[in-house]
Amino acid sequence: MECCRRATPGTLLLFLAFLLLSSRTARSEEDQDGLWDAWGPWSECSRTCGGGASYSLRRCLSSKSCEGRNIRYRTCSNVDCPPEAGDFRAQQCSAHNDVKHHGQFYEWLPVSNDPDNPCSLKCQAKGTALVVELAPKVLDGTRCYTESLDMCISGLCQIVGCDHQLGSTVKEDNCGVCNGDGSTCRLVRGQYKSQLSATKLDDTVVAVPLGSRHIRLVLKGPDHLYLETKSLQGAKGENSLSSTGTFLVDNSSVDFQKFPDKEILRMAGPLTADFIVKIRNSGSADSTVQFIFYQPIIHRWRETDFFPCSATCGGGYQLTSAECYDLRSNRVVADQYCHYYPENIKPKPKLQECNLDPCPASDGYKQIMPYDLYHPLPRWEATPWTACSSSCGGGIQSRAVSCVEEDIQGHVTSVEEWKCMYTPKMPIAQPCNIFDCPKWLAQEWSPCTVTCGHGLRYRVVLCIDHRGMHTGGCSPKTKPHIKEECIIPTPCYKPKEKLPVEAKLPWFKQAQELEEGAAVSEEPSFIPEAWSACTVTCGVGTQVRIVRCQVLLSFSQSVADLPVDECEGPKPASQRACYAGPCSGEIPEFNPDETEGLFGGLQDFDELYDWEYEGFTKCSESCGGGVQEAVVSCLNKQTREPADENLCVTSRRPPQLLKSCNLDPCPARGSVDSAWTACKVLG
C-alpha cells in the first residue's frame, strides 16, 4: 500500500492494465478454445470396416488467427472386414489397373512398409520390377505398416493404440488383450528330440491350441516339419511346408523358412484352429526342435449364483459354488480342466442368510389334501439301500420307493403315486463309496547294496487307502516291485589270490577267485572283466571276457573308456578254455590238432591239467626190504578227475620217486644141515 500512495496517476493506470492483461492470459491458458466456434459434426467414416478416420471442423471467431487446430480426427469403423474384402492398400493400387501408365496397362500390387514414406501409395507392376508412386497420399484410415494399427491421415502416419484411439500408446499384452496384464495366457516353451526309426517315420512335436499367439519353432537337423490342423467344427487339414514362403493355413498366416540344415516356422496368431506340429523322418541323424508360444487359458473358474435356500421360512442359508467354464465352447466342464492351469485360483464359496420370515402357525396340510388328524396323509416309504455296487472308487446303491397309506388301525397299504405328489419323491439311487480305492504307494529306494559294480536296492511298497492309512485290498498284479538291480559306475577289481590245493573248490568258484585283478589308475591300462560261464555243461568249452582300455579321471573320480591303442603292453587274453567235467562218465579223447585250432595251443590247458602224485605202487617185496614207486597221474585241477596224459605238459612231469618198504626180516625157511661156506672170488 505504501508503494501505491507514492505512485503517480500514470503509473497506477499501467499497473491496472497489467493486471487486466494477466487475467486475460490466465483465462486463455485455462480455456484456449474461447476464441473458437463449437466443433462441427463428425464426417462420414473414410472406411466401412477395418478401421477408418473421421474428422470434425471448427471456425475461428477472432479477427486474428486462433491458437490450435481447426480440424480434429478420430477413428471409426473399428470392426474386422470380411475375408473377401482384401487389403485396403491393395484396393487403392488395383483402382489404377484401368489407367495407362506410359501408354501401357498394368496390374498393380501394393508395396507396403515403406520406411521413408509409409503413407504414399506405392505400387508394383505385377510380373515386373517396376515400382511407381501412383498417389502422394493413401486414403485416410490406411494402415502405415502391415503389423501395426497406426494409420495414415492426410498423408501423415498417426499413432493408434490397441484401444483404436488416435494418439493412444496402449498396447496389447502377449495374450492379445488390450492393456492387459498377461494373465489370460501362459508361456509354453520346450525342446523336442527326434526318436524316429525305420518303423516310425513321423512323430508329434507339440500341439498348439486355437487362440495361441507368437508361435516360433526352430528345427535343426535333416528332418522336416509339417502341420496338421483341426477346427472347432472337426474339419482336419494338412500342410507339408515344402518350400520357403508365407501360407494361409485354416485362415492363419504361417511364415516358413527352409534352410539346408534347419527350418524356422513362425505364426503370429491368434490361431483359428488347433495346430499339431509334426516331424517327418528324412535322414539318419537325429533332429531337435525348440518351440515357444503363448497359449490362451481357455478354462476358467466362474462363481455360480446362490443355490436355493436351505429352508422355506424361519431362517436358512444359501451358498455359492465355483464351476469350470470352457471359454471356447461356452459350457461348463469337469473341474480337472481348470486345475490344469496353475494360474487359476478357485474362488471360495460365499454364504448368506435367507428366508428369515417366521413360519406360519399352520402346517398347510388342510389346504393341500382334505385329511383330518385321524387319517394321516399318504407318504413316501422306502426300502433300505442295497449294498454298494463297488467297495471303492464310486458305486451305485438303490432302493424301492412307493406311496403308502396308513389307516386308523395302523395297517399300511400301497396306493397310487399321485396321492404323494404333494411332496417330492425320494431318490431311488445314489452314489456310494465315492472315495478312492486303495492304491500301492512306493517309498524311496534304499542305497545300493554294493559300493561298486552290480548290486541290489530295495524299497517299501504299502497299500494305502483314501485316508492315507495302511490297509489291504490292492491288486497283487499291479504291485510295484520291491527290489531291482543297481549299478555303481565304479569298477570292482580283486587281487589274485593263491588257493591251497587242499581247498579243492568247485571249478566255477575257483575261476572267480583266480581272476587276475587290475586297478584303474591315472595311466591308461587294460582292465579285464570277469570270465563268462563255460560254453558247455560237460567236456571242453570256452570262456570269454571283455578287456577295456580305461583311465581314472582324477578331477571327477570317474572311469573313462579309451581306444585300445592308448594302453601300452600286451592286452590280456579275452578267451580261454574250460573243462566242465566228463560227459556220460567217460574221459574225453584228446586231439592236439583240434585243441591247437580252438584254443591257441597248450598254454591254456596249463591252468586246467597238471601232474600229481597219487599214492604208491605195491611194495616189490613182502619182507626183508622192498621198493615202492610213486604213481604220477594227469588230473583236471577243477574237477579232480583223471585225464588223458596228453593233456598234461610232458616237460612238467615230476621225477620218479622211490621209497623203501617192508623192511622187517623174513621168517626162517626151515632146518639147515650145515652153514654155507664162504664165497670164493674167481678171476
Side-chain angles (χ1 to χ4, degrees), residues 32-33 35-42 54-61 65-73 154:
Q32 293 183 0
D33 296 338
L35 301 178
W36 290 99
D37 195 2
W39 284 105
W42 289 101
S54 176
Y55 65 88
S56 173
L57 300 173
R58 65 179 176 176
R59 190 174 50 171
C60 181
L61 300 177
S65 61
C66 299
E67 293 184 10
R69 295 183 302 167
N70 68 336
I71 187 171
R72 62 178 179 175
Y73 294 93
S154 190

PDB file of all heavy atoms in Angstrom, residues 32-33 35-42 54-61 65-73 154:
ATOM      1  N   GLN A  32      -8.319 -22.357 -23.931  1.00  0.00           N
ATOM      2  CA  GLN A  32      -7.722 -21.908 -25.192  1.00  0.00           C
ATOM      3  C   GLN A  32      -8.739 -21.890 -26.321  1.00  0.00           C
ATOM      4  O   GLN A  32      -8.520 -21.297 -27.363  1.00  0.00           O
ATOM      5  CB  GLN A  32      -6.558 -22.833 -25.561  1.00  0.00           C
ATOM      6  CG  GLN A  32      -5.387 -22.732 -24.605  1.00  0.00           C
ATOM      7  CD  GLN A  32      -4.229 -23.613 -25.047  1.00  0.00           C
ATOM      8  OE1 GLN A  32      -4.327 -24.284 -26.066  1.00  0.00           O
ATOM      9  NE2 GLN A  32      -3.151 -23.576 -24.301  1.00  0.00           N
ATOM     10  N   ASP A  33      -9.862 -22.615 -26.136  1.00  0.00           N
ATOM     11  CA  ASP A  33     -10.858 -22.679 -27.197  1.00  0.00           C
ATOM     12  C   ASP A  33     -11.850 -21.512 -27.132  1.00  0.00           C
ATOM     13  O   ASP A  33     -12.853 -21.490 -27.845  1.00  0.00           O
ATOM     14  CB  ASP A  33     -11.637 -23.992 -27.102  1.00  0.00           C
ATOM     15  CG  ASP A  33     -10.724 -25.189 -27.340  1.00  0.00           C
ATOM     16  OD1 ASP A  33      -9.675 -24.990 -27.969  1.00  0.00           O
ATOM     17  OD2 ASP A  33     -11.077 -26.305 -26.896  1.00  0.00           O
ATOM     18  N   LEU A  35     -11.762 -18.559 -28.275  1.00  0.00           N
ATOM     19  CA  LEU A  35     -11.874 -17.774 -29.499  1.00  0.00           C
ATOM     20  C   LEU A  35     -12.381 -18.612 -30.668  1.00  0.00           C
ATOM     21  O   LEU A  35     -12.494 -18.108 -31.782  1.00  0.00           O
ATOM     22  CB  LEU A  35     -10.513 -17.159 -29.844  1.00  0.00           C
ATOM     23  CG  LEU A  35      -9.927 -16.241 -28.759  1.00  0.00           C
ATOM     24  CD1 LEU A  35      -8.563 -15.729 -29.187  1.00  0.00           C
ATOM     25  CD2 LEU A  35     -10.860 -15.058 -28.482  1.00  0.00           C
ATOM     26  N   TRP A  36     -12.640 -19.895 -30.435  1.00  0.00           N
ATOM     27  CA  TRP A  36     -13.102 -20.799 -31.497  1.00  0.00           C
ATOM     28  C   TRP A  36     -14.608 -20.981 -31.396  1.00  0.00           C
ATOM     29  O   TRP A  36     -15.201 -20.931 -30.320  1.00  0.00           O
ATOM     30  CB  TRP A  36     -12.447 -22.183 -31.379  1.00  0.00           C
ATOM     31  CG  TRP A  36     -10.976 -22.224 -31.703  1.00  0.00           C
ATOM     32  CD1 TRP A  36      -9.951 -22.212 -30.830  1.00  0.00           C
ATOM     33  CD2 TRP A  36     -10.408 -22.319 -32.997  1.00  0.00           C
ATOM     34  NE1 TRP A  36      -8.755 -22.281 -31.478  1.00  0.00           N
ATOM     35  CE2 TRP A  36      -9.000 -22.347 -32.835  1.00  0.00           C
ATOM     36  CE3 TRP A  36     -10.925 -22.353 -34.306  1.00  0.00           C
ATOM     37  CZ2 TRP A  36      -8.120 -22.440 -33.899  1.00  0.00           C
ATOM     38  CZ3 TRP A  36     -10.041 -22.449 -35.376  1.00  0.00           C
ATOM     39  CH2 TRP A  36      -8.658 -22.481 -35.168  1.00  0.00           C
ATOM     40  N   ASP A  37     -15.201 -21.231 -32.523  1.00  0.00           N
ATOM     41  CA  ASP A  37     -16.593 -21.646 -32.550  1.00  0.00           C
ATOM     42  C   ASP A  37     -16.671 -23.114 -32.111  1.00  0.00           C
ATOM     43  O   ASP A  37     -15.652 -23.802 -32.007  1.00  0.00           O
ATOM     44  CB  ASP A  37     -17.146 -21.477 -33.980  1.00  0.00           C
ATOM     45  CG  ASP A  37     -18.676 -21.542 -34.000  1.00  0.00           C
ATOM     46  OD1 ASP A  37     -19.274 -21.682 -32.916  1.00  0.00           O
ATOM     47  OD2 ASP A  37     -19.249 -21.455 -35.104  1.00  0.00           O
ATOM     48  N   ALA A  38     -17.862 -23.602 -31.872  1.00  0.00           N
ATOM     49  CA  ALA A  38     -18.018 -25.005 -31.450  1.00  0.00           C
ATOM     50  C   ALA A  38     -17.591 -25.937 -32.583  1.00  0.00           C
ATOM     51  O   ALA A  38     -17.664 -25.586 -33.770  1.00  0.00           O
ATOM     52  CB  ALA A  38     -19.463 -25.267 -31.047  1.00  0.00           C
ATOM     53  N   TRP A  39     -17.171 -27.130 -32.190  1.00  0.00           N
ATOM     54  CA  TRP A  39     -16.780 -28.138 -33.186  1.00  0.00           C
ATOM     55  C   TRP A  39     -18.000 -28.562 -33.982  1.00  0.00           C
ATOM     56  O   TRP A  39     -19.100 -28.713 -33.443  1.00  0.00           O
ATOM     57  CB  TRP A  39     -16.177 -29.367 -32.507  1.00  0.00           C
ATOM     58  CG  TRP A  39     -14.768 -29.171 -32.009  1.00  0.00           C
ATOM     59  CD1 TRP A  39     -14.373 -28.997 -30.729  1.00  0.00           C
ATOM     60  CD2 TRP A  39     -13.597 -29.138 -32.811  1.00  0.00           C
ATOM     61  NE1 TRP A  39     -13.014 -28.845 -30.659  1.00  0.00           N
ATOM     62  CE2 TRP A  39     -12.495 -28.934 -31.935  1.00  0.00           C
ATOM     63  CE3 TRP A  39     -13.333 -29.225 -34.177  1.00  0.00           C
ATOM     64  CZ2 TRP A  39     -11.188 -28.833 -32.379  1.00  0.00           C
ATOM     65  CZ3 TRP A  39     -12.022 -29.144 -34.625  1.00  0.00           C
ATOM     66  CH2 TRP A  39     -10.959 -28.943 -33.734  1.00  0.00           C
ATOM     67  N   GLY A  40     -17.779 -28.764 -35.265  1.00  0.00           N
ATOM     68  CA  GLY A  40     -18.849 -29.203 -36.141  1.00  0.00           C
ATOM     69  C   GLY A  40     -19.091 -30.702 -36.032  1.00  0.00           C
ATOM     70  O   GLY A  40     -18.386 -31.416 -35.308  1.00  0.00           O
ATOM     71  N   PRO A  41     -20.059 -31.225 -36.765  1.00  0.00           N
ATOM     72  CA  PRO A  41     -20.361 -32.664 -36.704  1.00  0.00           C
ATOM     73  C   PRO A  41     -19.227 -33.485 -37.329  1.00  0.00           C
ATOM     74  O   PRO A  41     -18.437 -32.981 -38.131  1.00  0.00           O
ATOM     75  CB  PRO A  41     -21.655 -32.783 -37.513  1.00  0.00           C
ATOM     76  CG  PRO A  41     -21.614 -31.626 -38.457  1.00  0.00           C
ATOM     77  CD  PRO A  41     -20.940 -30.508 -37.715  1.00  0.00           C
ATOM     78  N   TRP A  42     -19.194 -34.753 -36.942  1.00  0.00           N
ATOM     79  CA  TRP A  42     -18.175 -35.658 -37.491  1.00  0.00           C
ATOM     80  C   TRP A  42     -18.545 -36.045 -38.911  1.00  0.00           C
ATOM     81  O   TRP A  42     -19.719 -36.259 -39.233  1.00  0.00           O
ATOM     82  CB  TRP A  42     -18.051 -36.919 -36.641  1.00  0.00           C
ATOM     83  CG  TRP A  42     -17.407 -36.676 -35.300  1.00  0.00           C
ATOM     84  CD1 TRP A  42     -18.024 -36.556 -34.105  1.00  0.00           C
ATOM     85  CD2 TRP A  42     -16.013 -36.511 -35.056  1.00  0.00           C
ATOM     86  NE1 TRP A  42     -17.119 -36.321 -33.116  1.00  0.00           N
ATOM     87  CE2 TRP A  42     -15.849 -36.292 -33.668  1.00  0.00           C
ATOM     88  CE3 TRP A  42     -14.869 -36.505 -35.859  1.00  0.00           C
ATOM     89  CZ2 TRP A  42     -14.622 -36.082 -33.076  1.00  0.00           C
ATOM     90  CZ3 TRP A  42     -13.635 -36.308 -35.265  1.00  0.00           C
ATOM     91  CH2 TRP A  42     -13.522 -36.094 -33.905  1.00  0.00           C
ATOM     92  N   SER A  54     -12.428 -40.279 -39.247  1.00  0.00           N
ATOM     93  CA  SER A  54     -13.480 -39.281 -39.430  1.00  0.00           C
ATOM     94  C   SER A  54     -12.960 -37.959 -38.873  1.00  0.00           C
ATOM     95  O   SER A  54     -12.132 -37.956 -37.955  1.00  0.00           O
ATOM     96  CB  SER A  54     -14.743 -39.730 -38.694  1.00  0.00           C
ATOM     97  OG  SER A  54     -15.745 -38.748 -38.780  1.00  0.00           O
ATOM     98  N   TYR A  55     -13.419 -36.838 -39.430  1.00  0.00           N
ATOM     99  CA  TYR A  55     -12.901 -35.543 -38.989  1.00  0.00           C
ATOM    100  C   TYR A  55     -14.049 -34.615 -38.605  1.00  0.00           C
ATOM    101  O   TYR A  55     -15.201 -34.792 -39.012  1.00  0.00           O
ATOM    102  CB  TYR A  55     -12.034 -34.895 -40.075  1.00  0.00           C
ATOM    103  CG  TYR A  55     -12.777 -34.528 -41.331  1.00  0.00           C
ATOM    104  CD1 TYR A  55     -13.414 -33.291 -41.464  1.00  0.00           C
ATOM    105  CD2 TYR A  55     -12.822 -35.425 -42.404  1.00  0.00           C
ATOM    106  CE1 TYR A  55     -14.093 -32.959 -42.616  1.00  0.00           C
ATOM    107  CE2 TYR A  55     -13.501 -35.101 -43.564  1.00  0.00           C
ATOM    108  CZ  TYR A  55     -14.142 -33.872 -43.661  1.00  0.00           C
ATOM    109  OH  TYR A  55     -14.827 -33.549 -44.803  1.00  0.00           O
ATOM    110  N   SER A  56     -13.671 -33.593 -37.815  1.00  0.00           N
ATOM    111  CA  SER A  56     -14.615 -32.544 -37.413  1.00  0.00           C
ATOM    112  C   SER A  56     -13.906 -31.199 -37.542  1.00  0.00           C
ATOM    113  O   SER A  56     -12.709 -31.094 -37.246  1.00  0.00           O
ATOM    114  CB  SER A  56     -15.083 -32.789 -35.973  1.00  0.00           C
ATOM    115  OG  SER A  56     -15.871 -31.705 -35.516  1.00  0.00           O
ATOM    116  N   LEU A  57     -14.641 -30.153 -37.965  1.00  0.00           N
ATOM    117  CA  LEU A  57     -14.060 -28.829 -38.198  1.00  0.00           C
ATOM    118  C   LEU A  57     -14.644 -27.810 -37.220  1.00  0.00           C
ATOM    119  O   LEU A  57     -15.733 -27.996 -36.670  1.00  0.00           O
ATOM    120  CB  LEU A  57     -14.335 -28.378 -39.632  1.00  0.00           C
ATOM    121  CG  LEU A  57     -13.773 -29.259 -40.751  1.00  0.00           C
ATOM    122  CD1 LEU A  57     -14.282 -28.768 -42.098  1.00  0.00           C
ATOM    123  CD2 LEU A  57     -12.251 -29.270 -40.725  1.00  0.00           C
ATOM    124  N   ARG A  58     -13.890 -26.712 -37.014  1.00  0.00           N
ATOM    125  CA  ARG A  58     -14.392 -25.578 -36.238  1.00  0.00           C
ATOM    126  C   ARG A  58     -13.882 -24.272 -36.858  1.00  0.00           C
ATOM    127  O   ARG A  58     -12.887 -24.267 -37.568  1.00  0.00           O
ATOM    128  CB  ARG A  58     -13.989 -25.693 -34.774  1.00  0.00           C
ATOM    129  CG  ARG A  58     -12.504 -25.615 -34.521  1.00  0.00           C
ATOM    130  CD  ARG A  58     -12.211 -25.710 -33.042  1.00  0.00           C
ATOM    131  NE  ARG A  58     -10.769 -25.722 -32.784  1.00  0.00           N
ATOM    132  CZ  ARG A  58     -10.234 -25.717 -31.559  1.00  0.00           C
ATOM    133  NH1 ARG A  58     -11.034 -25.704 -30.492  1.00  0.00           N
ATOM    134  NH2 ARG A  58      -8.924 -25.731 -31.393  1.00  0.00           N
ATOM    135  N   ARG A  59     -14.559 -23.167 -36.528  1.00  0.00           N
ATOM    136  CA  ARG A  59     -14.256 -21.881 -37.146  1.00  0.00           C
ATOM    137  C   ARG A  59     -13.675 -20.936 -36.100  1.00  0.00           C
ATOM    138  O   ARG A  59     -14.102 -20.919 -34.938  1.00  0.00           O
ATOM    139  CB  ARG A  59     -15.544 -21.288 -37.721  1.00  0.00           C
ATOM    140  CG  ARG A  59     -15.368 -20.094 -38.595  1.00  0.00           C
ATOM    141  CD  ARG A  59     -16.690 -19.708 -39.190  1.00  0.00           C
ATOM    142  NE  ARG A  59     -17.731 -19.625 -38.148  1.00  0.00           N
ATOM    143  CZ  ARG A  59     -18.940 -19.144 -38.381  1.00  0.00           C
ATOM    144  NH1 ARG A  59     -19.289 -18.737 -39.575  1.00  0.00           N
ATOM    145  NH2 ARG A  59     -19.822 -19.091 -37.408  1.00  0.00           N
ATOM    146  N   CYS A  60     -12.702 -20.132 -36.536  1.00  0.00           N
ATOM    147  CA  CYS A  60     -12.072 -19.154 -35.637  1.00  0.00           C
ATOM    148  C   CYS A  60     -12.949 -17.895 -35.604  1.00  0.00           C
ATOM    149  O   CYS A  60     -13.270 -17.311 -36.642  1.00  0.00           O
ATOM    150  CB  CYS A  60     -10.661 -18.819 -36.123  1.00  0.00           C
ATOM    151  SG  CYS A  60      -9.801 -17.628 -35.052  1.00  0.00           S
ATOM    152  N   LEU A  61     -13.328 -17.466 -34.392  1.00  0.00           N
ATOM    153  CA  LEU A  61     -14.218 -16.310 -34.229  1.00  0.00           C
ATOM    154  C   LEU A  61     -13.459 -15.002 -34.085  1.00  0.00           C
ATOM    155  O   LEU A  61     -14.059 -13.924 -34.070  1.00  0.00           O
ATOM    156  CB  LEU A  61     -15.122 -16.519 -33.006  1.00  0.00           C
ATOM    157  CG  LEU A  61     -16.035 -17.741 -33.045  1.00  0.00           C
ATOM    158  CD1 LEU A  61     -16.820 -17.855 -31.750  1.00  0.00           C
ATOM    159  CD2 LEU A  61     -16.968 -17.675 -34.238  1.00  0.00           C
ATOM    160  N   SER A  65      -5.611 -14.711 -36.015  1.00  0.00           N
ATOM    161  CA  SER A  65      -5.537 -16.178 -36.038  1.00  0.00           C
ATOM    162  C   SER A  65      -5.675 -16.730 -34.627  1.00  0.00           C
ATOM    163  O   SER A  65      -5.209 -16.143 -33.656  1.00  0.00           O
ATOM    164  CB  SER A  65      -4.203 -16.628 -36.645  1.00  0.00           C
ATOM    165  OG  SER A  65      -3.125 -16.152 -35.865  1.00  0.00           O
ATOM    166  N   CYS A  66      -6.337 -17.902 -34.543  1.00  0.00           N
ATOM    167  CA  CYS A  66      -6.518 -18.594 -33.257  1.00  0.00           C
ATOM    168  C   CYS A  66      -5.425 -19.635 -33.064  1.00  0.00           C
ATOM    169  O   CYS A  66      -4.923 -20.220 -34.032  1.00  0.00           O
ATOM    170  CB  CYS A  66      -7.879 -19.269 -33.204  1.00  0.00           C
ATOM    171  SG  CYS A  66      -9.270 -18.123 -33.338  1.00  0.00           S
ATOM    172  N   GLU A  67      -5.086 -19.828 -31.796  1.00  0.00           N
ATOM    173  CA  GLU A  67      -4.113 -20.877 -31.499  1.00  0.00           C
ATOM    174  C   GLU A  67      -4.807 -22.234 -31.542  1.00  0.00           C
ATOM    175  O   GLU A  67      -5.944 -22.377 -31.103  1.00  0.00           O
ATOM    176  CB  GLU A  67      -3.495 -20.644 -30.118  1.00  0.00           C
ATOM    177  CG  GLU A  67      -2.619 -19.407 -30.030  1.00  0.00           C
ATOM    178  CD  GLU A  67      -1.964 -19.271 -28.675  1.00  0.00           C
ATOM    179  OE1 GLU A  67      -2.057 -20.233 -27.891  1.00  0.00           O
ATOM    180  OE2 GLU A  67      -1.373 -18.223 -28.411  1.00  0.00           O
ATOM    181  N   GLY A  68      -4.079 -23.214 -32.031  1.00  0.00           N
ATOM    182  CA  GLY A  68      -4.635 -24.572 -32.093  1.00  0.00           C
ATOM    183  C   GLY A  68      -5.045 -24.938 -33.508  1.00  0.00           C
ATOM    184  O   GLY A  68      -4.835 -24.184 -34.466  1.00  0.00           O
ATOM    185  N   ARG A  69      -5.653 -26.112 -33.654  1.00  0.00           N
ATOM    186  CA  ARG A  69      -6.030 -26.627 -34.968  1.00  0.00           C
ATOM    187  C   ARG A  69      -7.520 -26.465 -35.181  1.00  0.00           C
ATOM    188  O   ARG A  69      -8.311 -26.492 -34.246  1.00  0.00           O
ATOM    189  CB  ARG A  69      -5.659 -28.109 -35.072  1.00  0.00           C
ATOM    190  CG  ARG A  69      -4.149 -28.375 -35.019  1.00  0.00           C
ATOM    191  CD  ARG A  69      -3.870 -29.848 -35.201  1.00  0.00           C
ATOM    192  NE  ARG A  69      -4.559 -30.661 -34.177  1.00  0.00           N
ATOM    193  CZ  ARG A  69      -4.693 -31.979 -34.259  1.00  0.00           C
ATOM    194  NH1 ARG A  69      -4.205 -32.621 -35.314  1.00  0.00           N
ATOM    195  NH2 ARG A  69      -5.308 -32.640 -33.304  1.00  0.00           N
ATOM    196  N   ASN A  70      -7.863 -26.306 -36.460  1.00  0.00           N
ATOM    197  CA  ASN A  70      -9.275 -26.180 -36.803  1.00  0.00           C
ATOM    198  C   ASN A  70      -9.884 -27.512 -37.256  1.00  0.00           C
ATOM    199  O   ASN A  70     -11.033 -27.552 -37.687  1.00  0.00           O
ATOM    200  CB  ASN A  70      -9.469 -25.140 -37.898  1.00  0.00           C
ATOM    201  CG  ASN A  70      -8.873 -25.609 -39.217  1.00  0.00           C
ATOM    202  OD1 ASN A  70      -7.970 -26.442 -39.235  1.00  0.00           O
ATOM    203  ND2 ASN A  70      -9.373 -25.060 -40.320  1.00  0.00           N
ATOM    204  N   ILE A  71      -9.101 -28.611 -37.180  1.00  0.00           N
ATOM    205  CA  ILE A  71      -9.586 -29.936 -37.577  1.00  0.00           C
ATOM    206  C   ILE A  71      -9.119 -30.961 -36.548  1.00  0.00           C
ATOM    207  O   ILE A  71      -8.016 -30.840 -35.995  1.00  0.00           O
ATOM    208  CB  ILE A  71      -9.100 -30.313 -38.999  1.00  0.00           C
ATOM    209  CG1 ILE A  71      -9.762 -31.622 -39.450  1.00  0.00           C
ATOM    210  CG2 ILE A  71      -7.580 -30.403 -39.056  1.00  0.00           C
ATOM    211  CD1 ILE A  71      -9.507 -31.948 -40.924  1.00  0.00           C
ATOM    212  N   ARG A  72      -9.980 -31.886 -36.274  1.00  0.00           N
ATOM    213  CA  ARG A  72      -9.606 -32.988 -35.382  1.00  0.00           C
ATOM    214  C   ARG A  72     -10.090 -34.301 -36.006  1.00  0.00           C
ATOM    215  O   ARG A  72     -11.028 -34.315 -36.810  1.00  0.00           O
ATOM    216  CB  ARG A  72     -10.204 -32.806 -33.995  1.00  0.00           C
ATOM    217  CG  ARG A  72     -11.721 -32.786 -33.959  1.00  0.00           C
ATOM    218  CD  ARG A  72     -12.232 -32.659 -32.529  1.00  0.00           C
ATOM    219  NE  ARG A  72     -13.705 -32.606 -32.497  1.00  0.00           N
ATOM    220  CZ  ARG A  72     -14.413 -32.601 -31.370  1.00  0.00           C
ATOM    221  NH1 ARG A  72     -13.778 -32.638 -30.185  1.00  0.00           N
ATOM    222  NH2 ARG A  72     -15.742 -32.549 -31.412  1.00  0.00           N
ATOM    223  N   TYR A  73      -9.425 -35.380 -35.624  1.00  0.00           N
ATOM    224  CA  TYR A  73      -9.721 -36.682 -36.204  1.00  0.00           C
ATOM    225  C   TYR A  73     -10.067 -37.676 -35.098  1.00  0.00           C
ATOM    226  O   TYR A  73      -9.675 -37.526 -33.939  1.00  0.00           O
ATOM    227  CB  TYR A  73      -8.515 -37.224 -36.986  1.00  0.00           C
ATOM    228  CG  TYR A  73      -8.155 -36.419 -38.204  1.00  0.00           C
ATOM    229  CD1 TYR A  73      -7.205 -35.393 -38.135  1.00  0.00           C
ATOM    230  CD2 TYR A  73      -8.749 -36.680 -39.429  1.00  0.00           C
ATOM    231  CE1 TYR A  73      -6.857 -34.650 -39.258  1.00  0.00           C
ATOM    232  CE2 TYR A  73      -8.414 -35.946 -40.557  1.00  0.00           C
ATOM    233  CZ  TYR A  73      -7.466 -34.939 -40.465  1.00  0.00           C
ATOM    234  OH  TYR A  73      -7.137 -34.224 -41.577  1.00  0.00           O
ATOM    235  N   SER A 154      -4.417 -37.805 -43.759  1.00  0.00           N
ATOM    236  CA  SER A 154      -3.948 -36.634 -44.512  1.00  0.00           C
ATOM    237  C   SER A 154      -2.468 -36.766 -44.859  1.00  0.00           C
ATOM    238  O   SER A 154      -1.715 -35.804 -44.791  1.00  0.00           O
ATOM    239  CB  SER A 154      -4.208 -35.357 -43.701  1.00  0.00           C
ATOM    240  OG  SER A 154      -3.969 -34.224 -44.493  1.00  0.00           O
TER     241      SER A 154
END
